[in-house]
C-alpha cells in the first residue's frame, strides 16, 4: 500500500516513468470565468512519454464529462479558418471516396456542425457525436442530429454503418484511446474510411509548441505510434497527409486491415515512408529529453520582454483566447499586471476571464481605443490571418509579437508578406 499510484500507458499499459514536460497546475482551458468570486479547480498538467510505444500522454485527472459542461465555450464556427478548412475537407473527402446522397458520414467531436453541414449540403446522411451541450444545440438548429459521447458501446448502436468516420482534433481528447479506436472499427463499413486530424507530435517538439498541451488533450501522436494503436484494433492507416493546421498536423486515413489489399491500391506507401523517415529517432527516449529546456527558455524570454515593456511604460495586449493561450499564460505565470487584457472575436468569450490567469477578454474596439505598442498573438497558428485582420495597428506604429517557437517581433514593412523578424531580446 503506497501513496503514489503507478501510472500506466493508456495504450500499451506499460508503466510510465519518463516525464516529458511539467506545465504545473492548470484549469480546464476552455472553462472561462464570468466572475472572480468563486473558487477555481486546477489539475496537474504533466506529460509522460511511454518507453514502449512512445505515446506522449497526460494521465486523466478530470473526467471528460466534467470538462464538457454548460460553460464550455468552444464553438468551431467562430473561427473563419475553421469553417473554410471544414469545407475543403468535405469537398476533398467526397471527391476522393465518391461520397454522395447514398453515403453515411459520422463525425466525432462534431461541435456546432461546422463540418457536417458541408456533407449535408452534398446530400450525405450525417450523424454527429458531441458531448458539449451548447455546440450540440447549435448543430441541431442546422438539422444535424448530435449524440453525446462516442464510445465502443455507443458504436454498437451503429455497427458497420459509416462510409466515412471523421474527427478533427478529437482523437487526442480521448482518455480511453483503445475503446475509442475499437468503436471506430465497429461503426465503420467494411469498405469505409476513417479520417482523423491531430497535431503531429514531431512538429510539436520541433516547434517547441508546448501550448498544444492542455488538460483536455490527453494524447500526442507520432505516425509511428498512431499506426500501432490502429493496427492493434484492426484498422490499417494506408495514407497520411502533413497539413499546416495547429502548427503542423497529420491527417490519417484508415480502413479495416482485413481489406489490406484494397487500401494498398491507393499506393501511398512512399508518402507514408517519407513521414516515417522524418520521424527518425522518435522510437528513442533521447528524442524527447530536450523539450523541457527549450520550453523554459520561451517562458524566460516572454516574461522578460513583458517586464521590460512595463518598465518602459509601453502597453502589450494579447490577441486570441484559444486553449493554447491559457496554457502559455498559466505556465509563464502571466497575469493582468503584465498583460492587461486579451482580445477575441468570440461573443461567448468577450466579457469573461481566461481560466487561471484571470485576464479579461475584451472585444476589438477596446484594442482600438487603448492603442497598445505591442499585440502578443496568442493564437500563433493563425498569425498570418490575424496580422491581416489587425493591419490597422500600423496606424499607430504598433508591432506584433509571437512567443513560440521563440520570441519574435514583426517589422511593419514586411507585415503584408507575413515575415517575422527576430527581436534581440533585451
Ligand atoms: Zn505505451
Amino acid at each position: 500500500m503506497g501513496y503514489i499510484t503507478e501510472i500506466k500507458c493508456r495504450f500499451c499499459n506499460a508503466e510510465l516513468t519518463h516525464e516529458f514536460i511539467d506545465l504545473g497546475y492548470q484549469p480546464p482551458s476552455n472553462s472561462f470565468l464570468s466572475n472572480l468570486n468563486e473558487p477555481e479547480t486546477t489539475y496537474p498538467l504533466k506529460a509522460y512519454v511511454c518507453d514502449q510505444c512512445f505515446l506522449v500522454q497526460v494521465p486523466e485527472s478530470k473526467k471528460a464529462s466534467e470538462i464538457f459542461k454548460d460553460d464550455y465555450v468552444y464553438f468551431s464556427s467562430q473561427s473563419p479558418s475553421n469553417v473554410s478548412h471544414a469545407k475543403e475537407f468535405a469537398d476533398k473527402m467526397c471527391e476522393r471516396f465518391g461520397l454522395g446522397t447514398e453515403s453515411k458520414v459520422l463525425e466525432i467531436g462534431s461541435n456546432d456542425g461546422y463540418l457536417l453541414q458541408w456533407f449535408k449540403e452534398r446530400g450525405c446522411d450525417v450523424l454527429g457525436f458531441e458531448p458539449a451541450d451548447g455546440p450540440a444545440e447549435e448543430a441541431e438548429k442546422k438539422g444535424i442530429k448530435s449524440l453525446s459521447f462516442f464510445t465502443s458501446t455507443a458504436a454498437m448502436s451503429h455497427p458497420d454503418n459509416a462510409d466515412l468516420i471523421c474527427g478533427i482534433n478529437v482523437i487526442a481528447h480521448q482518455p480511453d484511446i483503445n475503446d475509442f479506436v475499437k468503436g471506430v472499427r465497429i461503426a465503420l463499413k467494411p469498405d469505409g474510411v476513417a479520417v482523423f486530424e491531430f497535431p503531429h507530435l514531431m512538429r510539436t517538439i520541433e516547434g517547441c509548441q508546448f501550448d498544444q498541451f492542455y488538460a483536455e488533450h490527453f494524447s500526442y501522436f507520432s505516425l509511428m505510434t498512431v499506426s500501432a494503436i490502429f493496427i492493434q484494433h484492426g484498422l490499417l492507416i494506408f495514407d497520411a497527409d502533413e497539413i499546416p493546421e495547429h502548427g503542423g498536423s497529420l491527417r490519417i486515413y484508415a480502413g479495416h486491415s482485413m481489406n489490406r489489399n484494397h487500401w494498398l491500391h491507393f499506393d501511398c506507401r512512399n508518402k507514408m515512408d517519407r513521414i516515417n523517415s522524418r520521424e527518425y529517432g522518435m522510437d528513442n527516449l533521447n528524442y524527447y529529453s530536450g523539450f523541457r529546456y527549450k520550453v523554459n527558455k520561451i517562458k524566460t524570454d516572454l516574461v522578460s520582454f513583458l517586464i521590460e515593456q512595463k518598465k518602459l511604460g509601453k502597453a502589450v495586449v494579447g490577441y486570441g483566447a484559444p486553449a493554447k493561450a491559457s496554457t502559455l499564460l498559466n505556465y509563464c505565470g502571466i497575469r493582468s499586471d503584465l498583460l492587461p487584457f486579451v482580445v477575441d472575436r468570440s461573443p461567448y468569450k468577450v466579457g469573461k476571464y481566461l481560466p487561471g490567469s484571470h485576464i479579461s477578454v475584451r472585444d476589438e474596439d477596446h484594442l482600438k481605443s487603448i492603442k497598445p505598442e505591442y499585440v502578443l498573438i496568442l493564437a500563433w497558428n493563425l498569425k498570418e490571418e490575424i496580422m491581416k485582420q489587425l493591419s490597422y495597428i500600423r496606424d499607430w506604429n504598433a508591432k506584433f509579437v509571437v512567443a513560440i517557437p521563440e520570441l519574435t517581433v514583426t517589422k511593419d514593412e514586411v507585415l503584408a508578406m507575413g515575415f517575422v523578424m527576430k527581436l534581440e531580446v533585451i
Side-chain angles (χ1 to χ4, degrees):
M1 200 168 82
Y3 291 102
I4 299 170
T5 320
E6 206 176 70
I7 307 168
K8 298 281 185 66
C9 172
R10 63 168 47 92
F11 168 51
C12 76
N13 212 33
E15 191 186 345
L16 295 176
T17 55
H18 302 277
E19 185 184 307
F20 177 61
I21 184 81
D22 185 351
L23 296 167
Y25 283 76
Q26 303 254 358
S29 61
N30 276 312
S31 292
F32 286 68
L33 305 165
S34 299
N35 74 69
L36 299 179
N37 296 322
E38 287 172 11
E40 186 180 26
T41 311
T42 60
Y43 300 87
L45 185 57
K46 189 189 280 193
Y48 296 83
V49 55
C50 174
D51 60 12
Q52 297 300 305
C53 71
F54 300 96
L55 179 66
V56 168
Q57 55 200 293
V58 175
E60 185 184 24
S61 56
K62 183 179 172 70
K63 291 279 171 218
S65 55
E66 292 172 49
I67 295 171
F68 299 106
K69 53 187 184 182
D70 294 347
D71 58 355
Y72 188 80
V73 291
Y74 184 75
F75 287 78
S76 298
S77 295
Q78 290 295 324
S79 160
S81 66
N82 260 349
V83 178
S84 64
H85 176 67
K87 182 164 188 337
E88 274 171 40
F89 181 94
D91 289 345
K92 190 168 179 187
M93 295 307 129
C94 288
E95 250 164 62
R96 186 173 188 193
F97 301 111
L99 303 175
T101 49
E102 301 293 308
S103 310
K104 289 191 174 177
V105 178
L106 189 157
E107 187 193 0
I108 305 163
S110 46
N111 200 271
D112 55 11
Y114 77 111
L115 173 59
L116 285 179
Q117 64 184 347
W118 303 115
F119 286 104
K120 192 169 186 291
E121 198 178 272
R122 283 171 168 265
C124 300
D125 185 5
V126 300
L127 175 66
F129 281 84
E130 175 51 59
D133 292 342
E137 282 162 20
E138 283 297 312
E140 296 273 354
K141 284 182 199 161
K142 293 173 186 150
I144 294 162
K145 190 179 176 200
S146 302
L147 305 175
S148 187
F149 283 96
F150 181 83
T151 59
S152 65
T153 311
M156 294 294 270
S157 309
H158 308 270
D160 301 333
N161 185 265
D163 295 283
L164 176 70
I165 296 181
C166 50
I168 295 181
N169 294 319
V170 67
I171 190 167
H173 294 69
Q174 304 308 317
D176 189 345
I177 188 70
N178 287 316
D179 184 72
F180 179 86
V181 181
K182 183 178 162 193
V184 171
R185 195 234 306 135
I186 291 169
L188 195 64
K189 273 187 184 169
D191 58 351
V193 181
V195 182
F196 292 99
E197 291 181 10
F198 49 87
H200 189 182
L201 178 62
M202 181 190 82
R203 298 289 300 276
T204 303
I205 293 174
E206 282 176 359
C208 213
Q209 301 160 358
F210 69 93
D211 57 351
Q212 304 274 19
F213 286 77
Y214 48 90
E216 308 92 304
H217 206 165
F218 298 119
S219 302
Y220 303 81
F221 306 97
S222 59
L223 182 59
M224 170 186 72
T225 299
V226 78
S227 299
I229 296 171
F230 273 58
I231 207 71
Q232 174 147 321
H233 294 285
L235 293 170
L236 174 76
I237 297 175
F238 62 90
D239 190 14
D241 296 328
E242 289 188 273
I243 54 174
E245 276 69 24
H246 293 284
S249 293
L250 278 181
R251 176 189 286 159
I252 55 162
Y253 301 79
H256 285 277
S257 50
M258 61 188 180
N259 295 336
R260 185 181 180 82
N261 288 340
H262 174 67
W263 303 120
L264 294 181
H265 273 122
F266 281 84
D267 200 18
C268 306
R269 200 56 253 173
N270 287 345
K271 221 164 113 197
M272 298 272 288
D273 285 347
R274 267 199 302 278
I275 302 173
N276 281 322
S277 65
R278 298 220 301 123
E279 288 188 350
Y280 179 77
M282 293 190 84
D283 56 353
N284 189 313
L285 283 175
N286 290 336
Y287 185 95
Y288 304 84
S289 59
F291 188 69
R292 67 181 78 176
Y293 304 106
K294 291 185 200 154
V295 170
N296 201 259
K297 182 176 183 316
I298 290 175
K299 174 180 181 172
T300 312
D301 289 350
L302 177 59
V303 173
S304 305
F305 173 79
L306 293 174
I307 291 173
E308 195 58 35
Q309 297 315 315
K310 191 175 169 72
K311 281 185 188 164
L312 293 169
K314 295 186 173 176
V316 187
V317 306
Y319 192 89
K324 51 171 65 70
S326 286
T327 298
L328 175 77
L329 298 172
N330 287 321
Y331 170 67
C332 294
I334 295 167
R335 300 292 179 263
S336 57
D337 54 337
L338 292 179
L339 197 72
F341 63 92
V342 303
V343 174
D344 198 275
R345 282 191 153 181
S346 165
Y348 300 97
K349 295 178 183 175
V350 170
K352 295 195 168 112
Y353 298 91
L354 287 177
S357 65
H358 298 175
I359 293 171
S360 64
V361 185
R362 311 293 294 261
D363 62 18
E364 218 171 305
D365 287 344
H366 200 59
L367 171 79
K368 290 173 185 165
S369 67
I370 297 286
K371 295 188 171 53
E373 279 84 359
Y374 295 98
V375 173
L376 172 63
I377 299 178
L378 295 162
W380 50 262
N381 53 310
L382 304 174
K383 66 174 184 266
E384 276 83 15
E385 181 183 324
I386 291 167
M387 287 196 290
K388 258 186 230 157
Q389 183 194 317
L390 300 186
S391 58
Y392 58 79
I393 72 166
R394 279 181 288 180
D395 297 347
W396 65 83
N397 294 319
K399 292 182 168 66
F400 291 108
V401 184
V402 188
I404 291 173
E406 59 184 342
L407 191 73
T408 49
V409 172
T410 54
K411 301 277 189 198
D412 294 346
E413 59 271 23
V414 291
L415 262 185
M417 297 162 73
F419 286 128
V420 177
M421 305 288 281
K422 202 190 245 179
L423 172 83
E424 272 194 45
V425 180
I426 304 153

